[in-house]
Amino acid sequence: MADRGTAPALRVLVADDNPVVRAGLASLLSNDAGIEVVATAADGHEAYEATLRARPDVVLLDVRMPRVDGLAALPWLLPHAAVLMLTYSGEPDTVRRALRAGAGGYLVHGEFTADQLASAVHGVARGRPHLTPTASSAVLDALRATGPGAPDSPGPQENPPNSPPASLQQQSNVGHSSGLSRREAEIMELIASGMTNQQIAVACFISQKTVKNHINRIFTKVGAASRGEAIARWHGTARRGPGTHG
């Protein structure tokens, strides 16, 4: 790992009901000179008590644990430490519930390396969210399902089962007529939702440089010179002016 300077090591607590997983995570994190594993826990209740006692900077929190699971413990832990969900559970609803409750990131086992795990811990401690691909997909799916200004959960009378909201259908049509690729349309949806380049990079699991490249291509295709103009064209509320190109 790269030298992270002389700053005090981040204090980390690992909460997982599997003792092999706990030991493995503690061992991996201990290879980073900027991280110190100060406690472990086998369930949410133990995690809360250990957090009060050990005062970690970051809690790595599993979802499915006996007695008190990770989602139930999350609100109790957040006043005391940043929380990074680290679990085998990649169900979209679970991901969304954890992030809405305040988790700083969501990592699914098998989707990250040891270095990426350490980087996620350091990032979450600094307020930078980290998501692995399964969690990113859950976030994107939620944004596509709601669309800008739409309710989180459309009522049964608003759309037939498995049918996307009208706002998303309209956006998809605009993207298609503008010649955007599927990936560019996804990026455009996130721009229209108000996300920054950094947030888009996290949600799509790509670099900010790649986000900027996508945005430049989007602007060229829709004939926009700014984010606001691109959003207006995406929603079909602006006409192309003279000299623009698509």
Side-chain angles (χ1 to χ4, degrees):
M1 296 295 297
D3 181 13
R4 299 185 187 273
T6 57
L10 284 176
R11 299 168 59 81
V12 175
L13 183 152
V14 178
D16 194 293
D17 63 319
N18 188 321
V20 175
V21 173
R22 287 201 306 273
L25 290 172
S27 177
L28 285 176
L29 292 171
S30 295
N31 290 328
D32 187 297
I35 293 175
E36 177 188 3
V37 177
V38 295
T40 62
D43 60 47
H45 180 73
E46 286 187 12
Y48 176 68
E49 290 189 332
T51 295
L52 295 181
R53 183 175 62 253
R55 299 295 180 184
D57 301 299
V58 178
V59 175
L60 299 187
L61 187 63
D62 189 17
V63 170
R64 294 196 176 97
M65 294 183 290
R67 290 209 300 169
V68 179
D69 65 26
L71 291 178
L74 180 58
W76 297 91
L77 297 171
L78 285 171
H80 307 285
V83 177
L84 174 61
M85 308 304 293
L86 182 58
T87 177
Y88 286 98
S89 178
E91 291 88 347
D93 182 62
T94 301
V95 174
R96 291 192 290 267
R97 287 174 61 195
L99 295 177
R100 285 171 179 162
Y106 198 108
L107 308 185
V108 177
H109 284 291
E111 298 185 351
F112 56 86
T113 65
D115 284 352
Q116 288 170 338
L117 171 60
S119 294
V121 170
H122 283 280
V124 167
R126 292 173 173 81
R128 296 197 298 267
H130 282 257
L131 306 174
T132 52
T134 295
S136 296
S137 295
V139 172
L140 287 170
D141 288 345
L143 288 170
R144 295 190 194 106
T146 58
D152 285 347
S153 301
Q157 301 303 316
E158 297 176 17
N159 298 282
N162 301 320
S163 174
S167 59
L168 180 55
Q169 294 173 356
Q170 180 183 19
Q171 288 178 17
S172 298
N173 292 335
V174 173
H176 178 72
S177 65
S178 300
L180 300 186
S181 68
R182 180 177 178 179
R183 186 57 151 176
E184 289 164 352
E186 290 176 351
I187 300 294
M188 189 60 240
E189 287 179 15
L190 299 182
I191 293 172
S193 75
M195 293 179 74
T196 66
N197 286 7
Q198 181 181 1
Q199 291 170 329
I200 293 171
V202 171
C204 297
F205 214 66
I206 57 179
S207 69
Q208 289 192 57
K209 181 178 179 181
T210 300
V211 173
K212 290 178 182 178
N213 290 338
H214 280 304
I215 290 175
N216 288 337
R217 287 194 291 271
I218 290 169
F219 283 8
T220 298
K221 289 183 178 181
V222 304
S226 67
R227 244 176 160 83
E229 189 176 355
I231 292 171
R233 296 190 188 284
W234 180 248
H235 291 310
T237 57
R239 296 178 179 270
R240 291 183 183 273
T244 59
H245 55 283

